[in-house]
Amino acid sequence: MAMKTWWGIGVVLLAMPLVGLAPARAAGEVALLESYIGSWQGEGALVGGDRPEPFRCRLTIAKGNQAKVNYTGRCALVNATLSISGTIAYNEAARRYEAAMSSNAGFTGLAVGQERGGQISFDLREQQKDRGGSDVRIGSRILLVNGNITVDFEVEFNNSGDVLTASVPFQQ
């Protein structure tokens, strides 16, 4: 289950496309993004396999160019380390937040964020292939609310029906 676990979480973390984002012009949206600048750490457990496995992450959010914030992160699971980096901005023309990501595993992607009452939720639903070529359904939700960050993951391996989930609350 360790290989299936690593691959599934790797895909979840890394499955968002890197695209050019329009400069954020709305001061309120930019201020909300910038309120998350800092160093974050989180841990949770990956459940659904043979036994729960610890899942630890670090995330750094910094001020970027043109009213964007940049982020870099690392997650450790079993004996694997996953690295991510990207940009979050408010796309005024589309009236939405966009988080672009790239990874050390060669995946890139885009998650669209919706803001409601000071909270931003990024939802991602993807279909990928695992290392054996089998279909994998991937879901992740990144929630920025009241100065806190939580990331929820779900991976379903279509051939076996196995579902792995993790929830990682981050703290500064």
Side-chain angles (χ1 to χ4, degrees):
M1 190 53 133
M3 179 56 99
K4 209 182 262 190
T5 299
W6 178 87
W7 175 251
I9 293 301
V11 171
V12 170
L13 285 173
L14 312 171
M16 297 192 236
L18 184 61
V19 297
L21 299 174
R25 294 189 189 110
E29 286 82 359
V30 174
L32 183 56
L33 288 176
E34 290 178 349
S35 72
Y36 289 91
I37 289 174
S39 296
W40 298 80
Q41 294 183 17
E43 64 181 75
L46 184 67
V47 296
D50 296 334
R51 66 187 191 315
E53 298 179 29
F55 189 66
R56 293 179 183 87
C57 299
R58 291 180 311 188
L59 181 67
T60 301
I61 301 174
K63 187 167 177 51
N65 295 327
Q66 300 176 350
K68 299 175 186 177
V69 296
N70 299 325
Y71 63 92
T72 58
R74 294 181 85 83
C75 292
L77 174 68
V78 187
N79 58 2
T81 300
L82 305 169
S83 299
I84 59 169
S85 63
T87 302
I88 302 173
Y90 183 75
N91 181 334
E92 191 171 352
R95 294 187 165 186
R96 67 184 190 187
Y97 290 92
E98 296 175 350
M101 179 184 290
S102 63
S103 75
N104 65 333
F107 292 97
T108 60
L110 175 70
V112 173
Q114 298 298 318
E115 191 263 329
R116 288 181 191 95
Q119 106 179 4
I120 307 170
S121 177
F122 294 92
D123 292 307
L124 174 69
R125 301 284 178 245
E126 293 284 332
Q127 196 75 16
Q128 296 284 334
K129 299 275 186 195
D130 66 14
R131 290 187 178 185
S134 299
D135 287 331
V136 178
R137 183 187 56 78
I138 302 151
S140 89
R141 180 173 171 241
I142 301 167
L143 184 62
L144 307 176
V145 61
N146 296 327
N148 296 307
I149 299 173
T150 301
V151 181
D152 297 321
F153 305 103
E154 181 178 274
V155 179
E156 180 180 359
F157 297 89
N158 294 350
N159 286 352
S160 67
D162 290 342
V163 177
L164 304 174
T165 60
S167 183
V168 180
F170 285 83
Q171 298 176 359
Q172 276 190 303

